[in-house]
Amino acid sequence: MEARRYWGLAGVVCTGVGVAAGELTAAFISPSASPVSAVGQTVIGLLPGGVKEGAIHLFGTADKTVFLASMVVVMALLAFAAGLLERFHRGFGLAVIVLFGVVGVAAVAGRPDVTGTAFVAPVVAAGIAMALLAWVRGRFLHPGLGRELKAEYDAGRAPRASGPPAVKAAPAAPGQLSPPPPEAARSASRRTFLGFMGAGAAVAVLAGGAAVLVRRASVVVAELRAKVRLPRPATAAAAVPAAAVLDIAGVTPLITDASQFYRIDTALVVPAVNSDTWKLSVTGMVEREITLTFAQLLTKPMVESYVTIGCVSNEVGGDLVGNARWLGWPVRELLAEAGVRPGADMVLSRSTDGFTAGTPLEALTDPRNAMIAVGMNGAPLPMVHGYPARLIVPGLYGYVSATKWLSELKVTTFAADQGYWTPLGWSALGPIKTASRIDVPRAGAKLATGRFTAAGVAWSPERGISAVEVQLDGGPWQSASLAAALNKDTWVQWQVPLTLAAGKHQLKVRAVDGAGAVQTGDIAPPAPDGASGWHTVEFTAA
Ligand SMILES: Nc1nc2c(c(=O)[nH]1)N[C@H]1C(S)=C(S)[C@@H](COP(=O)(O)O)O[C@H]1N2
Ligand SMILES: [Mo]
């Protein structure tokens, strides 16, 4: 098995399986995470305009197909070369694959819509390709030492040219060179090798095909999303005052960029909800059931508001919380059109993928800005955050309110229905607990002695924040100063000047809500209704 073509073939098949596995991983992570298309887009971006136009002239609408086909050919050639290099010197081919991985990571990281997990796909691709090539090398390709040949040899059928002195059934006299393995043994080994290569190619084609199918749906939706023109809000959010933003390095930004916004849901594959066929229905205890298309929803008078949402699973000091400018139609107006019948006390919202949340009816009908949101920070909802529409309810944890990929609002009762997480041990009611977080200093920071400004954020959506206090090394609680609040539904930044002596320090923070209630210091885990306790950071000054 020394022929060059076998090594090249191994390079192509092993890399192919890796790339396909990477594509499949990407399809599950996010529609934009595909390493192959990221590399392709990067290459297209680097091509001079003339070349691009030339290609479009030459190939017309087939330009993308031609481009992808050329990419596959180039990758196959490089992978063939990687296999040959591995034959030339152990590890060289693997190094080429590492390079593939690095290019993939760089390309994915350079995409405008990059997500934190996007780099996983090229890493998976390179890892699998390397592991396979190393295995195939050891199993079949190592000159004269293939296990297949050894088995033949041990069975006394295939005397070998090199290796340990033959004890069993060695036809050659001691000191004499054994003859090479007979053609029969070599072709048996070759057949097994080629069988493995065929199986590998089949796996690559199947995984790649599955990735394409998963992706195609999301590409269609991404294109629809790109064409959405959000309506102007009937009630716009006021511009962010300068006084709301502290100029302190390391403090959480007041507005969370969609790309940085935490994502929590039960969906393995991001639902690709086609906004052309999407419908929202209002059912249950209503005078008239209503169904609404996306186009109809976009004609409704929209409110725009900053709302901080949080996950019930957020630990004290954790980052499963974010603040965005949402645009949506007030749920109370939709419910008023449907006419809620007496006796109802809950709305069970359902997503296209079957998730449900049970929200107190009151939270959707009182004056707060509970909305069917279609916009996030001035753009249509990102697919991972619920495109085309989701619920946003100030003051409630996401699991009881923030249904993404919203498809139905069923007016019902807590006695009759439960949201997804309630039977799994989480509280039926999920008001967000007042919380505060120290962003600066970070835990374990090594600071200089003297003056230092600590900073962070505090939130108590719906009630607002009236004060934040910190405690240094068990001393008295001292007031932090608050940046201007956008409204009572969002977090506020806080800062406090400290004077640090040399040594170890411990800083605690607590907030006071708009009604004067002090954030509890009682330590509770996230289950069943949200973590509590004062965020505490330890650091040193020298
Ligand atoms: N369809 C659907 N919507 C969902 C969930 C889900 O699993 N499926 N999770 C909820 C939870 S637990 C939270 S905290 C928020 C998170 O919203 P985000 O991912 O946009 O930050 O979405 C909520 N909406
Ligand atoms: Mo959550």
Side-chain angles (χ1 to χ4, degrees):
M1 298 296 296
E2 286 207 67
R4 288 199 183 87
R5 61 179 184 278
Y6 293 138
W7 288 79
L9 178 63
V12 172
V13 170
C14 297
T15 310
V17 174
V19 168
E23 289 303 299
L24 197 56
T25 311
F28 279 81
I29 293 176
S30 119
S32 55
S34 156
V36 170
S37 48
V39 171
Q41 292 293 334
T42 309
V43 171
I44 290 174
L46 294 174
L47 289 177
V51 176
K52 273 180 255 191
E53 273 155 36
I56 292 170
H57 272 287
L58 207 56
F59 304 115
T61 49
D63 59 343
K64 286 193 188 63
T65 318
V66 171
F67 181 78
L68 271 179
S70 340
M71 259 186 81
V72 169
V73 170
V74 170
M75 286 196 303
L77 287 175
L78 289 173
F80 195 87
L84 290 185
L85 269 174
E86 189 64 24
R87 175 181 186 271
F88 168 67
H89 193 293
R90 183 186 206 114
F92 277 25
L94 300 183
V96 171
I97 296 176
V98 170
L99 216 68
F100 268 38
V102 170
V103 168
V105 169
V108 165
R111 294 277 81 214
D113 45 4
V114 63
T115 56
T117 43
F119 72 94
V120 172
V123 170
V124 164
I128 288 183
M130 287 171 69
L132 274 179
L133 185 56
W135 179 78
V136 168
R137 178 189 171 124
R139 176 80 165 77
F140 298 106
L141 297 176
H142 197 301
L145 282 179
R147 248 191 252 162
E148 200 71 14
L149 289 181
K150 183 168 186 306
E152 300 280 335
Y153 168 81
D154 290 346
R157 273 177 283 133
R160 53 197 304 162
S162 58
V167 281
K168 260 192 249 166
Q176 211 183 310
L177 216 65
S178 318
E183 181 51 31
R186 274 189 290 162
S187 69
S189 172
R190 192 181 309 127
R191 271 197 306 277
T192 320
F193 169 76
L194 291 175
F196 269 103
M197 292 299 107
V203 166
V205 167
L206 284 179
V212 167
L213 286 184
V214 173
R215 257 171 57 76
R216 179 163 305 156
S218 63
V219 166
V220 168
V221 176
E223 280 168 3
L224 289 175
R225 177 180 177 272
K227 289 197 200 112
V228 171
R229 305 263 298 147
L230 289 179
R232 254 176 216 288
T235 315
V240 174
V245 180
L246 296 181
D247 182 20
I248 295 178
V251 74
T252 302
L254 182 64
I255 318 299
T256 316
D257 197 75
S259 66
Q260 306 296 323
F261 210 95
Y262 80 96
R263 174 194 165 193
I264 294 285
D265 53 61
T266 57
L268 193 54
V269 179
V270 178
V273 181
N274 186 313
S275 44
D276 278 351
T277 53
W278 174 87
K279 280 191 176 70
L280 172 62
S281 43
V282 184
T283 63
M285 301 169 70
V286 290
E287 302 297 340
R288 349 158 232 285
E289 299 205 337
I290 293 181
T291 41
L292 206 63
T293 65
F294 189 53
Q296 288 168 332
L297 176 58
L298 291 183
T299 65
K300 302 296 181 183
M302 301 260 165
V303 293
E304 183 189 52
S305 181
Y306 289 95
V307 179
T308 296
I309 67 167
C311 183
V312 69
S313 299
N314 197 34
E315 301 279 355
V316 170
D319 56 8
L320 298 181
V321 55
N323 184 39
R325 176 164 50 96
W326 306 98
L327 175 75
W329 187 36
V331 187
R332 83 181 90 81
E333 292 182 21
L334 174 57
L335 291 178
E337 280 189 14
V340 173
R341 292 213 305 260
D345 63 5
M346 188 246 252
V347 172
L348 189 77
S349 53
R350 182 180 299 277
S351 73
T352 57
D353 69 339
F355 170 87
T356 52
T359 310
L361 178 65
E362 201 194 338
L364 301 175
T365 50
D366 69 16
R368 80 182 81 184
N369 273 330
M371 59 173 104
I372 299 152
V374 294
M376 180 181 190
N377 292 338
L381 293 180
M383 282 171 68
V384 288
H385 294 296
Y387 182 82
R390 73 176 302 171
L391 276 185
I392 290 292
V393 184
L396 303 183
Y397 286 122
Y399 81 107
V400 291
S401 69
T403 303
K404 305 191 275 188
W405 313 292
L406 183 64
S407 63
E408 184 191 351
L409 296 174
K410 179 188 178 193
V411 179
T412 177
T413 63
F414 278 101
D417 280 297
Q418 286 186 316
Y420 181 90
W421 287 107
T422 304
L424 299 170
W426 296 79
S427 168
L429 297 179
I432 297 182
K433 294 181 179 177
T434 300
S436 50
R437 186 172 76 200
I438 300 166
D439 294 331
V440 195
R442 296 256 162 232
K446 293 182 174 42
L447 306 174
T449 54
R451 309 259 312 153
F452 179 81
T453 303
V457 283
W459 61 94
S460 183
E462 240 263 305
R463 298 173 299 271
I465 293 291
S466 62
V468 170
E469 299 168 334
V470 300
Q471 185 192 51
L472 182 63
D473 303 326
W477 286 95
Q478 44 184 312
S479 298
S481 51
L482 300 182
L486 291 176
N487 58 46
K488 56 189 181 39
D489 296 335
T490 59
W491 57 22
V492 286
Q493 297 177 336
W494 57 263
Q495 63 174 331
V496 66
L498 303 173
T499 306
L500 302 175
K504 290 191 172 187
H505 295 287
Q506 189 191 60
L507 188 68
K508 282 184 190 291
V509 67
R510 69 183 185 192
V512 182
D513 76 10
V518 180
Q519 176 187 342
T520 179
D522 294 348
I523 295 172
D529 63 358
S532 68
W534 295 326
H535 186 212
T536 305
V537 164
E538 289 176 356
F539 59 98
T540 53

